[in-house]
Amino acid sequence: SSSSSSSSLSSSSPYAPPLVSVCLVHHNRGEITLKTIEALLKQDYGPFEIVMVDDGSTDEASLKVLTDIQRFFNQTKAVPFRLIRTRNRYPGAARNTAAENAKGKFVIFCDDDDIPKPHWISTMVKVAHHTHADVVTSMADFFEGDGTPLPTAKPKLRWLTLGAAPSLGMYHNVFGASMALVRKKSFFKIGGYTEEGGSTYEDWEFFANAVLQGFHLEAIPEALMWYRQHPTSEKLNLMHNTNKYTNRMRVMRTYQKFVPPQLRNAVLYGWGASPKR
């Protein structure tokens, strides 16, 4: 329960669990999003709020689900909840909007198709508290299908992370999965997410930018989230339906900012010479 998590977090000190703002970004996911909401309501941490940003959904089923979600929270008051509707501006802009409307000391990011494990928030907050990290990431377990994995389910594969390893991070996202917890003050000092439409890798770009600026990123060696894999043909699969070069350039531009101008092409050469996935 929330109370048991709170007491365990503060058992060794008078530290009071801070308010955490779950920044939930949604676009045309329909009923899959309900699985994410259900998982959030099973978190063993409190207090937290949910700031949900609908990134310009147009699907009728998804719009109905949004209305149902809003009605549910209005009636139950399960946790503080706000729904913000915007035009379609892609995940970076939607996450920034959620963070700008967050009231918590920490913001923690969640996509509309991911399934957080029950100790996701509590573990992230504990690590942030004990390490004084600005950014906390974790590993993630991959799964397929429209349901919610059972606690005993075995993942299709696990996203392994190294954390603040900027040299390797130029070639692969070793910083952590996108479902990160960030101190809200640090989030804005880092600069938030870039708001480039038509591409992805904004999370990888954000982590690289944070580490290269000297912010403290801590990676938890545990999978705290179920990451839903969609068929490569699915329209909403941004990873496979956006230009790989454009996606990669978001990360490369971040690295280029931190080297002398005469060496910036070397960054691109290093990427081009790296092993391809």
Side-chain angles (χ1 to χ4, degrees):
S1 68
S2 297
S3 60
S4 62
S5 173
S6 300
S7 61
S8 63
L9 185 64
S10 57
S11 59
S12 60
S13 71
Y15 175 78
L19 175 65
V20 175
S21 298
V22 177
C23 297
L24 176 59
V25 174
H26 170 268
H27 178 73
N28 281 347
R29 285 292 187 201
E31 292 193 0
I32 285 181
T33 304
L34 296 177
K35 305 293 185 181
T36 302
I37 295 289
E38 290 171 1
L40 288 173
L41 294 179
K42 293 178 181 177
Q43 292 296 298
D44 64 6
Y45 180 87
F48 72 90
E49 63 171 0
I50 299 174
V51 182
M52 185 174 187
V53 174
D54 176 57
D55 188 36
S57 290
T58 56
D59 175 69
E60 287 188 15
S62 297
L63 295 175
K64 180 182 182 302
V65 166
L66 290 174
T67 299
D68 291 343
I69 291 172
Q70 181 72 77
R71 183 184 302 114
F72 169 82
F73 283 105
N74 286 345
Q75 292 175 350
T76 66
K77 311 294 183 184
V79 296
F81 175 84
R82 290 192 300 287
L83 174 62
I84 301 166
R85 299 175 188 260
T86 68
R87 62 183 176 85
N88 184 218
R89 299 169 62 206
Y90 281 75
R95 289 175 182 155
N96 286 342
T97 298
E100 289 162 2
N101 287 274
K103 297 180 180 179
K105 179 179 180 179
F106 293 97
V107 290
I108 190 167
F109 295 94
C110 184
D111 288 341
D112 54 3
D113 56 345
D114 296 327
I115 304 294
K117 298 183 181 182
H119 58 303
W120 173 53
I121 298 177
S122 61
T123 305
M124 293 286 221
V125 173
K126 287 177 185 176
V127 171
H129 174 59
H130 291 293
T131 66
H132 305 288
D134 299 291
V135 182
V136 180
T137 65
S138 74
M139 299 179 181
D141 284 338
F142 284 57
F143 76 106
E144 295 179 339
D146 294 338
T148 298
L150 296 172
T152 56
K154 293 185 178 181
K156 179 182 177 183
L157 60 89
R158 176 164 291 175
W159 183 344
L160 302 179
T161 59
L162 295 177
S167 295
L168 188 55
M170 189 168 77
Y171 306 106
H172 304 284
N173 180 10
V174 299
F175 300 110
S178 61
M179 314 80 174
L181 178 134
V182 189
R183 293 181 187 272
K184 189 167 68 174
K185 289 183 179 179
S186 300
F187 178 82
F188 294 109
K189 288 179 181 178
I190 293 167
Y193 292 94
T194 60
E195 300 188 358
E196 184 175 317
S199 63
T200 185
Y201 288 176
E202 69 287 331
D203 51 338
W204 183 0
E205 178 189 29
F206 174 80
F207 297 147
N209 191 30
V211 171
L212 291 170
Q213 287 188 68
F215 288 88
H216 179 181
L217 183 148
E218 196 76 31
I220 300 171
E222 180 183 356
L224 298 175
M225 177 75 71
W226 286 101
Y227 181 92
R228 193 186 305 272
Q229 275 194 307
H230 297 277
T232 57
S233 60
E234 185 174 316
K235 184 178 180 181
L236 295 177
N237 190 329
L238 288 179
M239 200 75 71
H240 295 278
N241 291 294
T242 49
N243 185 280
K244 292 183 179 180
Y245 177 80
T246 303
N247 294 342
R248 284 274 188 164
M249 279 303 299
R250 292 180 73 156
V251 182
M252 293 305 104
R253 283 196 298 269
T254 298
Y255 277 87
Q256 286 180 313
K257 290 189 300 184
F258 292 90
V259 298
Q262 60 269 32
L263 293 179
R264 287 175 184 169
N265 283 338
V267 172
L268 298 182
Y269 175 78
W271 168 53
S274 69
K276 299 296 189 297
R277 288 191 175 186

